[in-house]
Amino acid sequence: LQMDIKVDGINEQSLRKAMGMYYAIVQSGVRYVVDPRTPYAQFSALKTDVDFLQFPRQTLEYRGGDCDDLSILFCALLESVGVDTGFITVPGHIMPAFSLGKTAPRTGVQPQQQSPGTANLVIDGEEAWVPVEITELKEGFLRAWESGAKQWREQSGRGQAALHRTREAWKTYEPVGLPATSSQPAPLDTGRLEAAFLAEMGRYVDREIMPEVARLQAEIRRAATDPRPVNRLGILYASYGLSDRAVAEFERILKRQEYLPALLNLGNIRFLAGDYERALQLYERAAKKDPESPHVLLALARVSHELENYGVVRSAFGRLKAK
């Protein structure tokens, strides 16, 4: 599985990969099944007994496993694409977690506000980790995240939750392999996988920016003729890849007035979409407002280069250098 789906504004590569792998497991037909011989809830409490653990390949072949099997599969998939993983243990249960690195996810443009995402993180040292209740394969990734975080909060408050890093465990228990096999998992429907991924990522983005959107909308209502909060709302949408919503906000301003930032921002969206002719029209309108603006001159130079109007490029860069 090539995790090359890109969503602007979400910078956490590990979050995107984890979300994609979660839906790959769902689409592969794997289900949560309690092991009748060695149920984890029972065997985890017996220090003298040994639980039966499936290799990731076996879980895919059997299309089922209990909490430890699914956790192993999820972590193995993420480790294979360079994401640091671990296992969270609580009484009678185990679930996977993955690291977001040294920094927590971006949540809108107000860092002092805590979003649902930041409230659902496991902080271990300087790293932020996402716990995932991997047995919940029907409710969606965000629900599995929330469920895992809830268990962590409840049990860590009692001193009964622990995070075990996979790469630290490898120093004591080295990874082992299995003999080659002709058995291969069924190929995934990449169209369905991408659709599920993008739908969930959209829900994540909406959840993350909701407080800031509400604040800006209230500001817009208070200052109905001021284009600045509308422009900021458009920028917020654009920074998270919600181009349609951003375009609507910028056009909302331009229906009333030729506001320079909105002209440039809408032009930039057209430019990034490869619609160079419409971008040029917007930049030229911006030039009428402020022909000597460095931002306008740079925009004109970039779009003119794409349209092979090299005379305009030389002229714009010459005026930029003179500033």
Short mmCIF file of all heavy atoms in Angstrom, two decimals, residues 178-213:
data_model
loop_
_atom_site.label_atom_id
_atom_site.label_comp_id
_atom_site.label_asym_id
_atom_site.label_seq_id
_atom_site.Cartn_x
_atom_site.Cartn_y
_atom_site.Cartn_z
N LEU A 178 9.08 -15.45 9.33
CA LEU A 178 8.37 -16.69 9.02
C LEU A 178 8.86 -17.21 7.68
O LEU A 178 9.32 -16.44 6.84
CB LEU A 178 6.86 -16.43 8.94
CG LEU A 178 6.10 -16.23 10.25
CD1 LEU A 178 4.67 -15.83 9.96
CD2 LEU A 178 6.13 -17.49 11.09
N PRO A 179 8.76 -18.52 7.45
CA PRO A 179 9.12 -19.05 6.13
C PRO A 179 8.26 -18.44 5.04
O PRO A 179 7.14 -17.99 5.28
CB PRO A 179 8.85 -20.56 6.28
CG PRO A 179 8.84 -20.81 7.75
CD PRO A 179 8.33 -19.57 8.39
N ALA A 180 8.78 -18.39 3.85
CA ALA A 180 8.03 -17.85 2.71
C ALA A 180 6.77 -18.66 2.47
O ALA A 180 6.71 -19.86 2.77
CB ALA A 180 8.91 -17.85 1.46
N THR A 181 5.77 -17.99 1.94
CA THR A 181 4.51 -18.66 1.65
C THR A 181 3.95 -18.12 0.34
O THR A 181 4.22 -16.98 -0.05
CB THR A 181 3.48 -18.42 2.78
OG1 THR A 181 2.24 -19.03 2.42
CG2 THR A 181 3.24 -16.94 2.99
N SER A 182 3.17 -18.95 -0.31
CA SER A 182 2.54 -18.52 -1.56
C SER A 182 1.24 -17.76 -1.28
O SER A 182 0.66 -17.16 -2.17
CB SER A 182 2.23 -19.73 -2.45
OG SER A 182 1.39 -20.64 -1.77
N SER A 183 0.80 -17.81 -0.03
CA SER A 183 -0.44 -17.14 0.34
C SER A 183 -0.25 -15.63 0.33
O SER A 183 0.73 -15.11 0.87
CB SER A 183 -0.89 -17.60 1.73
OG SER A 183 -1.99 -16.86 2.18
N GLN A 184 -1.17 -14.91 -0.31
CA GLN A 184 -1.11 -13.45 -0.37
C GLN A 184 -2.48 -12.87 -0.02
O GLN A 184 -3.51 -13.41 -0.41
CB GLN A 184 -0.72 -12.99 -1.78
CG GLN A 184 0.70 -13.37 -2.20
CD GLN A 184 1.76 -12.63 -1.40
OE1 GLN A 184 1.51 -11.52 -0.93
NE2 GLN A 184 2.92 -13.24 -1.25
N PRO A 185 -2.50 -11.77 0.75
CA PRO A 185 -3.79 -11.13 1.04
C PRO A 185 -4.46 -10.67 -0.25
O PRO A 185 -3.79 -10.35 -1.23
CB PRO A 185 -3.40 -9.93 1.92
CG PRO A 185 -2.03 -10.23 2.43
CD PRO A 185 -1.38 -11.07 1.38
N ALA A 186 -5.76 -10.66 -0.24
CA ALA A 186 -6.50 -10.19 -1.41
C ALA A 186 -6.18 -8.71 -1.67
O ALA A 186 -6.03 -7.94 -0.72
CB ALA A 186 -8.00 -10.38 -1.20
N PRO A 187 -6.04 -8.32 -2.92
CA PRO A 187 -5.76 -6.91 -3.22
C PRO A 187 -6.89 -6.00 -2.75
O PRO A 187 -8.07 -6.39 -2.76
CB PRO A 187 -5.62 -6.89 -4.74
CG PRO A 187 -6.34 -8.10 -5.22
CD PRO A 187 -6.18 -9.13 -4.15
N LEU A 188 -6.52 -4.80 -2.32
CA LEU A 188 -7.51 -3.86 -1.81
C LEU A 188 -8.09 -3.02 -2.95
O LEU A 188 -7.43 -2.77 -3.95
CB LEU A 188 -6.86 -2.94 -0.77
CG LEU A 188 -6.28 -3.62 0.47
CD1 LEU A 188 -5.65 -2.58 1.38
CD2 LEU A 188 -7.35 -4.39 1.23
N ASP A 189 -9.30 -2.59 -2.75
CA ASP A 189 -9.94 -1.65 -3.67
C ASP A 189 -9.44 -0.26 -3.29
O ASP A 189 -9.91 0.35 -2.32
CB ASP A 189 -11.46 -1.74 -3.52
CG ASP A 189 -12.19 -0.84 -4.50
OD1 ASP A 189 -11.64 0.21 -4.88
OD2 ASP A 189 -13.34 -1.16 -4.86
N THR A 190 -8.46 0.25 -4.03
CA THR A 190 -7.83 1.52 -3.67
C THR A 190 -8.82 2.69 -3.74
O THR A 190 -8.68 3.66 -2.98
CB THR A 190 -6.62 1.80 -4.56
OG1 THR A 190 -7.02 1.77 -5.94
CG2 THR A 190 -5.53 0.76 -4.34
N GLY A 191 -9.79 2.60 -4.62
CA GLY A 191 -10.79 3.65 -4.69
C GLY A 191 -11.61 3.75 -3.42
O GLY A 191 -11.82 4.85 -2.88
N ARG A 192 -12.06 2.61 -2.93
CA ARG A 192 -12.83 2.60 -1.68
C ARG A 192 -11.97 3.01 -0.50
O ARG A 192 -12.43 3.72 0.40
CB ARG A 192 -13.41 1.20 -1.43
CG ARG A 192 -14.58 0.82 -2.33
CD ARG A 192 -15.06 -0.58 -2.02
NE ARG A 192 -15.38 -0.74 -0.60
CZ ARG A 192 -15.38 -1.91 0.05
NH1 ARG A 192 -15.05 -3.01 -0.60
NH2 ARG A 192 -15.70 -1.97 1.32
N LEU A 193 -10.72 2.56 -0.51
CA LEU A 193 -9.81 2.92 0.58
C LEU A 193 -9.59 4.42 0.62
O LEU A 193 -9.64 5.05 1.68
CB LEU A 193 -8.48 2.18 0.41
CG LEU A 193 -7.37 2.54 1.41
CD1 LEU A 193 -7.83 2.28 2.83
CD2 LEU A 193 -6.11 1.73 1.09
N GLU A 194 -9.32 5.01 -0.53
CA GLU A 194 -9.09 6.45 -0.59
C GLU A 194 -10.34 7.22 -0.17
O GLU A 194 -10.25 8.22 0.55
CB GLU A 194 -8.67 6.87 -1.99
CG GLU A 194 -8.37 8.35 -2.11
CD GLU A 194 -7.77 8.73 -3.44
OE1 GLU A 194 -7.37 7.82 -4.21
OE2 GLU A 194 -7.70 9.94 -3.73
N ALA A 195 -11.52 6.75 -0.59
CA ALA A 195 -12.76 7.43 -0.22
C ALA A 195 -12.98 7.41 1.29
O ALA A 195 -13.35 8.43 1.90
CB ALA A 195 -13.94 6.79 -0.94
N ALA A 196 -12.73 6.26 1.91
CA ALA A 196 -12.89 6.15 3.37
C ALA A 196 -11.89 7.03 4.09
O ALA A 196 -12.22 7.71 5.07
CB ALA A 196 -12.74 4.69 3.80
N PHE A 197 -10.65 7.03 3.59
CA PHE A 197 -9.60 7.84 4.19
C PHE A 197 -9.94 9.32 4.12
O PHE A 197 -9.87 10.05 5.11
CB PHE A 197 -8.28 7.56 3.48
CG PHE A 197 -7.16 8.49 3.85
CD1 PHE A 197 -6.36 8.22 4.95
CD2 PHE A 197 -6.91 9.63 3.12
CE1 PHE A 197 -5.33 9.08 5.31
CE2 PHE A 197 -5.89 10.50 3.46
CZ PHE A 197 -5.10 10.22 4.56
N LEU A 198 -10.32 9.79 2.94
CA LEU A 198 -10.60 11.21 2.76
C LEU A 198 -11.82 11.65 3.55
O LEU A 198 -11.85 12.77 4.09
CB LEU A 198 -10.79 11.52 1.27
CG LEU A 198 -9.52 11.41 0.41
CD1 LEU A 198 -9.85 11.60 -1.06
CD2 LEU A 198 -8.46 12.42 0.86
N ALA A 199 -12.83 10.80 3.64
CA ALA A 199 -14.02 11.14 4.43
C ALA A 199 -13.66 11.30 5.90
O ALA A 199 -14.09 12.25 6.57
CB ALA A 199 -15.10 10.08 4.25
N GLU A 200 -12.85 10.39 6.43
CA GLU A 200 -12.47 10.48 7.84
C GLU A 200 -11.53 11.66 8.08
O GLU A 200 -11.63 12.35 9.10
CB GLU A 200 -11.80 9.17 8.29
CG GLU A 200 -11.61 9.04 9.78
CD GLU A 200 -12.90 8.72 10.53
OE1 GLU A 200 -14.01 9.00 10.02
OE2 GLU A 200 -12.82 8.17 11.64
N MET A 201 -10.62 11.92 7.13
CA MET A 201 -9.75 13.06 7.27
C MET A 201 -10.55 14.36 7.26
O MET A 201 -10.25 15.31 7.98
CB MET A 201 -8.71 13.07 6.15
CG MET A 201 -7.64 14.15 6.31
SD MET A 201 -6.72 14.04 7.86
CE MET A 201 -5.60 12.67 7.49
N GLY A 202 -11.61 14.40 6.44
CA GLY A 202 -12.47 15.57 6.44
C GLY A 202 -13.14 15.78 7.79
O GLY A 202 -13.25 16.92 8.27
N ARG A 203 -13.59 14.69 8.40
CA ARG A 203 -14.20 14.81 9.73
C ARG A 203 -13.18 15.28 10.76
O ARG A 203 -13.50 16.06 11.66
CB ARG A 203 -14.81 13.46 10.15
CG ARG A 203 -16.09 13.12 9.39
CD ARG A 203 -16.75 11.87 9.94
NE ARG A 203 -16.07 10.66 9.51
CZ ARG A 203 -16.35 9.99 8.40
NH1 ARG A 203 -17.30 10.43 7.58
NH2 ARG A 203 -15.71 8.88 8.09
N TYR A 204 -11.95 14.81 10.64
CA TYR A 204 -10.88 15.23 11.55
C TYR A 204 -10.63 16.73 11.41
O TYR A 204 -10.53 17.46 12.41
CB TYR A 204 -9.61 14.45 11.26
CG TYR A 204 -8.39 14.96 12.00
CD1 TYR A 204 -8.20 14.68 13.34
CD2 TYR A 204 -7.44 15.74 11.35
CE1 TYR A 204 -7.10 15.15 14.03
CE2 TYR A 204 -6.33 16.22 12.02
CZ TYR A 204 -6.16 15.92 13.35
OH TYR A 204 -5.07 16.40 14.03
N VAL A 205 -10.52 17.20 10.18
CA VAL A 205 -10.26 18.62 9.94
C VAL A 205 -11.40 19.46 10.50
O VAL A 205 -11.18 20.47 11.19
CB VAL A 205 -10.08 18.89 8.44
CG1 VAL A 205 -10.08 20.39 8.16
CG2 VAL A 205 -8.78 18.27 7.94
N ASP A 206 -12.66 19.07 10.23
CA ASP A 206 -13.80 19.81 10.74
C ASP A 206 -13.76 19.89 12.27
O ASP A 206 -14.04 20.94 12.86
CB ASP A 206 -15.11 19.17 10.29
CG ASP A 206 -15.45 19.48 8.84
OD1 ASP A 206 -14.92 20.48 8.32
OD2 ASP A 206 -16.23 18.72 8.23
N ARG A 207 -13.41 18.81 12.90
CA ARG A 207 -13.35 18.78 14.36
C ARG A 207 -12.26 19.70 14.88
O ARG A 207 -12.44 20.43 15.86
CB ARG A 207 -13.09 17.35 14.84
CG ARG A 207 -13.16 17.17 16.35
CD ARG A 207 -12.76 15.76 16.74
NE ARG A 207 -11.32 15.55 16.62
CZ ARG A 207 -10.70 14.42 16.97
NH1 ARG A 207 -11.41 13.41 17.41
NH2 ARG A 207 -9.40 14.31 16.84
N GLU A 208 -11.10 19.70 14.20
CA GLU A 208 -9.97 20.48 14.67
C GLU A 208 -10.20 21.99 14.53
O GLU A 208 -9.78 22.75 15.39
CB GLU A 208 -8.71 20.07 13.90
CG GLU A 208 -8.22 18.67 14.23
CD GLU A 208 -7.82 18.55 15.69
OE1 GLU A 208 -6.81 19.14 16.09
OE2 GLU A 208 -8.54 17.87 16.44
N ILE A 209 -10.83 22.41 13.45
CA ILE A 209 -10.94 23.85 13.20
C ILE A 209 -12.26 24.43 13.68
O ILE A 209 -12.46 25.65 13.62
CB ILE A 209 -10.75 24.17 11.70
CG1 ILE A 209 -11.91 23.63 10.86
CG2 ILE A 209 -9.42 23.66 11.20
CD1 ILE A 209 -11.83 24.04 9.40
N MET A 210 -13.17 23.60 14.19
CA MET A 210 -14.50 24.06 14.57
C MET A 210 -14.47 25.25 15.54
O MET A 210 -15.20 26.24 15.33
CB MET A 210 -15.31 22.91 15.17
CG MET A 210 -16.78 23.24 15.39
SD MET A 210 -17.65 21.83 16.13
CE MET A 210 -17.30 20.54 14.93
N PRO A 211 -13.66 25.23 16.60
CA PRO A 211 -13.67 26.38 17.52
C PRO A 211 -13.26 27.68 16.84
O PRO A 211 -13.86 28.72 17.09
CB PRO A 211 -12.67 25.96 18.61
CG PRO A 211 -12.61 24.47 18.54
CD PRO A 211 -12.78 24.15 17.09
N GLU A 212 -12.24 27.63 16.00
CA GLU A 212 -11.78 28.84 15.34
C GLU A 212 -12.78 29.32 14.29
O GLU A 212 -12.98 30.52 14.11
CB GLU A 212 -10.41 28.60 14.70
CG GLU A 212 -9.80 29.81 14.02
CD GLU A 212 -9.50 30.96 14.97
OE1 GLU A 212 -9.62 30.78 16.20
OE2 GLU A 212 -9.15 32.04 14.48
N VAL A 213 -13.42 28.38 13.59
CA VAL A 213 -14.45 28.76 12.62
C VAL A 213 -15.59 29.48 13.33
O VAL A 213 -16.07 30.53 12.87
CB VAL A 213 -14.98 27.52 11.86
CG1 VAL A 213 -16.24 27.86 11.07
CG2 VAL A 213 -13.91 26.97 10.92
#
